[in-house]
Amino acid sequence: IYSGSAKQTLLGPGGAQQTDPVFIDLQSFLTDLAAWLGINPQPESTSENLAKVCIAELRKYPKALLFVDNLETVEDRSLLDFLDNKLPTNVWVVATGRVHKIRNFVYPKELREMDPHDGARLLRHELKRQGLHALSSTEIGQLREKAIGLYSHPLAIRWFAWACKSDASVWERGIGNVNERELESFCVAHTLGNVDIETQKVLGAILAISGVADATAQCIQYTSGVGGLGLERSLWELECSGLVSAVTDDNGNTTYSVA
């Protein structure tokens, strides 16, 4: 079992602090993996050579599990491609991240509504993260009631703790008469508010194409006016955010739809 993390910052009492991640890109990941496999690579080894050596060594194991943490901080697409497409069949990957970045998954586990007691514990954790220690010390039964009011939805719980820090009255006032769909709409709106104009154009193009034609990359490029690396990056961001789903058929053709 290999375990490595790409976490680059930790939220502590003094705010966000830099950490020393195990890996940040393909080269650093393969260097760490090679060390775990007992390989001593040359300092000038390229990522291509390292990948070949690591894959050859991994094939010797009956089974191997790679646990990779915090993939949402990784921007190197070649690392994601390696985890997704290059590993031998005897190797399994468990990846964690706030967004989904490995496409050919076997079993995705999405965080949705939680058990109310677990929701209460998450709320306590998030209040501590925000530095609201007095509120985090609230009796667990009260925290449970707050979590139930948030539909025990992990994103809503995290947002509520943040909102309490921004405005102390939110704790007593609550979120008001908001249903679960409205909470999800908030999460989508928050995501949309943080994407650039090119990505907005690509999302609009997918919506426009829906029901008219297959939303292939070529069709999306023609409709949105966004092409090249910009289109690839926008599609990737939309897929990772959960706003867009990608389906690849047996012929390797990929079409996109709004999730």
Side-chain angles (χ1 to χ4, degrees):
I1 299 175
Y2 164 84
S3 178
S5 176
K7 184 185 288 293
Q8 297 181 45
T9 57
L10 285 172
L11 189 60
Q17 300 171 347
Q18 291 294 317
T19 64
D20 184 14
V22 174
F23 61 87
I24 56 174
D25 53 21
L26 180 60
Q27 183 76 19
S28 55
F29 173 77
L30 290 173
T31 300
D32 190 65
L33 179 62
W36 176 75
L37 290 166
I39 302 167
N40 187 21
Q42 297 298 318
E44 65 274 9
S45 295
T46 65
S47 58
E48 185 177 354
N49 290 335
L50 272 176
K52 290 178 180 177
V53 172
C54 287
I55 289 171
E57 195 65 27
L58 284 169
R59 292 187 193 278
K60 299 177 182 178
Y61 287 76
K63 291 181 182 178
L65 173 66
L66 306 185
F67 180 78
V68 288
D69 194 21
N70 286 94
L71 273 186
E72 74 273 8
T73 65
V74 174
E75 297 181 357
D76 184 2
R77 290 286 298 276
S78 61
L79 169 54
L80 303 173
D81 180 63
F82 177 82
L83 294 173
D84 196 21
N85 299 311
K86 301 299 194 313
L87 292 170
T89 56
N90 62 312
V91 178
W92 286 63
V93 178
V94 174
T96 69
R98 295 185 190 92
V99 294
H100 168 65
K101 283 198 172 183
I102 293 187
R103 298 183 182 186
N104 297 331
F105 50 78
V106 176
Y107 177 72
K109 174 65 176 175
E110 182 183 4
L111 280 180
R112 291 197 62 79
E113 294 75 13
M114 309 170 69
D115 174 84
H117 187 71
D118 290 336
R121 292 169 59 195
L122 177 61
L123 178 56
R124 173 166 285 167
H125 171 74
E126 291 297 332
L127 290 168
K128 286 181 180 178
R129 274 168 42 92
Q130 295 294 341
L132 303 175
H133 300 293
L135 290 180
S136 70
S137 301
T138 303
E139 192 269 327
I140 194 69
Q142 282 186 262
L143 292 175
R144 186 175 183 275
E145 290 304 312
K146 293 288 186 184
I148 291 173
L150 296 162
Y151 300 96
S152 297
H153 198 299
L155 287 178
I157 289 171
R158 168 168 283 191
W159 167 79
F160 183 69
W162 169 82
C164 287
K165 184 177 182 180
S166 302
D167 181 356
S169 67
V170 171
W171 177 259
E172 293 296 336
R173 191 171 72 246
I175 61 172
N177 187 25
V178 179
N179 63 35
E180 188 174 5
R181 291 291 294 174
E182 288 174 318
L183 271 181
E184 291 181 346
S185 296
F186 162 80
C187 294
V188 172
H190 186 271
T191 303
L192 284 172
N194 287 277
V195 297
D196 58 36
I197 189 66
E198 280 195 341
T199 305
Q200 291 178 34
K201 288 180 179 179
V202 170
L203 180 62
I206 297 171
L207 283 165
I209 296 166
S210 177
V212 179
D214 290 335
T216 62
Q218 184 179 9
C219 193
I220 294 168
Q221 176 177 344
Y222 181 80
T223 308
S224 66
V226 179
L229 291 176
L231 176 63
E232 183 183 357
R233 180 191 55 77
S234 294
L235 287 172
W236 184 252
E237 289 298 325
L238 289 169
E239 188 180 353
C240 291
S241 72
L243 292 175
V244 164
S245 299
V247 176
T248 304
D249 61 23
D250 294 337
N251 297 319
N253 300 314
T254 301
T255 55
Y256 300 86
S257 61
V258 175

